[in-house]
Amino acid sequence: MTVPLYKQIASLIEDSIVDGTLSIDQRVPSTNELAAFHRINPATARNGLTLLVEAGILYKKRGIGMFVSAQAPALIRERRDAAFAATYVAPLIDESIHLGFTRARIHALLDQVAESRGLYK
């Protein structure tokens, strides 16, 4: 499945908010800055920013630009938590049921994989 460019732009900005690169009330790159940097049509960049404004992630200051809203980090995490559960956890549980895994087996596998990736250092 190919994700439209404007949604990719929105996700990149969200990633920058979640990782702290962009902070609350900080100005985000303009439509033209995004278009030039990513070599895309300015309308595509504008659509990505508009998506974030409509979601309450960004707010506009007329004549100045768009800025990260105070509720942006919480809104992004809330939506991504729900998407994570639907995309990864539910299929994991479904497959576990098919394989006859117990809750303890699932936990053991999660711990094993997390440890192998250095999560428990």
Side-chain angles (χ1 to χ4, degrees):
M1 175 175 84
T2 304
V3 177
L5 282 174
Y6 76 97
K7 288 186 178 183
Q8 292 178 41
I9 294 297
S11 288
L12 288 171
I13 293 170
E14 286 185 349
D15 290 345
S16 294
I17 293 168
V18 170
D19 72 17
T21 304
L22 288 171
S23 56
I24 293 171
D25 293 325
Q26 185 174 352
R27 183 184 165 279
V28 300
S30 70
T31 296
N32 290 333
E33 290 167 337
L34 288 168
F37 183 80
H38 295 287
R39 296 184 179 144
I40 59 173
N41 187 308
T44 301
R46 187 179 325 99
N47 287 341
L49 293 173
T50 299
L51 194 64
L52 296 173
V53 169
E54 290 171 352
I57 306 296
L58 303 179
Y59 65 93
K60 295 179 185 181
K61 286 187 180 179
R62 184 174 282 276
I64 299 174
M66 295 193 198
F67 296 79
V68 178
S69 72
Q71 64 272 19
L75 289 171
I76 295 166
R77 282 193 176 89
E78 182 180 309
R79 192 187 73 252
R80 287 186 175 187
D81 282 354
F84 179 82
T87 303
Y88 299 104
V89 179
L92 173 106
I93 298 298
D94 291 343
E95 184 65 12
S96 298
I97 290 167
H98 291 305
L99 295 173
F101 287 178
T102 63
R103 176 178 269 189
R105 176 71 177 136
I106 296 168
H107 284 243
L109 286 170
L110 290 172
D111 286 342
Q112 178 184 355
V113 171
E115 189 172 326
S116 74
R117 287 178 167 67
L119 184 64
Y120 299 137
K121 286 185 176 182

